[in-house]
Amino acid sequence: LGGKARGLAFVNHVLLKYDFYKKWEHVRIMVPRTLVITTDYFDRFIIENGLQYVINADISDTEILSEFVASTLPSDLTEALKVFIHSMHRPIAVRSSSKLEDSYYQPFAGVYSTYMIPRTENEDQMLRLLSKAIKSVYASIYFAASRGYIAATANVISEEKMGIILQEVCG
């Protein structure tokens, strides 16, 4: 699991442990509603949709994105997304949380895509937008700029794993 997810869990732990939620009378601390999609779903998505070929393929970013967006998320993930959407009342940020983004010596912050999904009353539309954004974040691992950065840092693209953080947009 990426550092962003661990960071959110840690912040919430500290706020609860030291009772910071109630410490100051006129201060309101909010931790955004969050769902973490683990790297296991990324692996399943790649295998179930036969996308392993993309790792070594010489195709454009547009073709990669098209292949990923046309693919299907695991059904149990889709069901979890429906529950998450039903509890959300604000826009959703779809953020990458990859294995390599946590590197101390070669940080990958900002290399992969992030998407913002507007809040709509139609939950089916929200699910379509959210699913497309998740698949687009997955695809961003294989974009030319990402491949270039991975190669420049002496990492191997086939070892990269992508988790995703869905987070309520506050403010």
Side-chain angles (χ1 to χ4, degrees):
L1 192 55
K4 292 174 193 165
R6 285 193 304 271
L8 285 170
F10 176 74
V11 167
N12 193 48
H13 171 75
V14 169
L15 291 171
L16 288 170
K17 181 177 179 179
Y18 297 103
D19 203 25
F20 284 143
Y21 284 113
K22 299 175 187 172
K23 189 167 182 141
W24 298 282
E25 186 177 339
H26 298 290
V27 175
R28 185 172 172 209
I29 299 173
M30 292 177 54
V31 176
R33 198 169 290 161
T34 302
L35 176 72
V36 177
I37 301 173
T38 63
T39 59
D40 295 344
Y41 283 106
F42 172 76
D43 292 338
R44 285 180 52 199
F45 174 77
I46 296 294
I47 292 166
E48 290 173 9
N49 290 287
L51 295 169
Q52 300 92 322
Y53 79 94
V54 173
I55 293 171
N56 297 314
D58 184 24
I59 57 178
S60 71
D61 291 355
T62 303
E63 291 171 302
I64 292 168
L65 184 59
S66 179
E67 283 285 324
F68 275 65
V69 169
S71 297
T72 306
L73 292 173
S75 60
D76 55 331
L77 175 56
T78 300
E79 292 305 311
L81 294 174
K82 287 178 184 177
V83 173
F84 182 71
I85 288 168
H86 187 71
S87 70
M88 297 301 292
H89 305 289
R90 295 184 177 181
I92 302 171
V94 182
R95 306 174 64 201
S96 64
S97 183
S98 81
K99 179 179 137 184
L100 292 177
E101 282 181 310
D102 292 336
S103 173
Y104 287 111
Y105 302 107
Q106 300 155 339
F108 273 65
V111 173
Y112 302 125
S113 298
T114 296
Y115 292 87
M116 302 298 221
I117 304 302
R119 175 71 190 143
T120 68
E121 295 304 316
N122 184 325
E123 291 186 3
D124 291 331
Q125 182 183 23
M126 281 287 292
L127 180 62
R128 283 191 301 277
L129 292 170
L130 189 55
S131 296
K132 184 177 180 179
I134 290 166
K135 293 183 275 188
S136 298
V137 171
Y138 284 164
S140 70
I141 289 178
Y142 304 107
F143 290 168
S146 302
R147 287 177 186 269
Y149 193 81
I150 289 170
T153 57
N155 288 293
V156 180
I157 195 166
S158 62
E159 293 179 7
E160 177 65 305
K161 303 288 183 192
M162 179 65 75
I164 292 183
I165 297 175
L166 305 179
Q167 194 169 49
E168 178 180 53
V169 176
C170 297

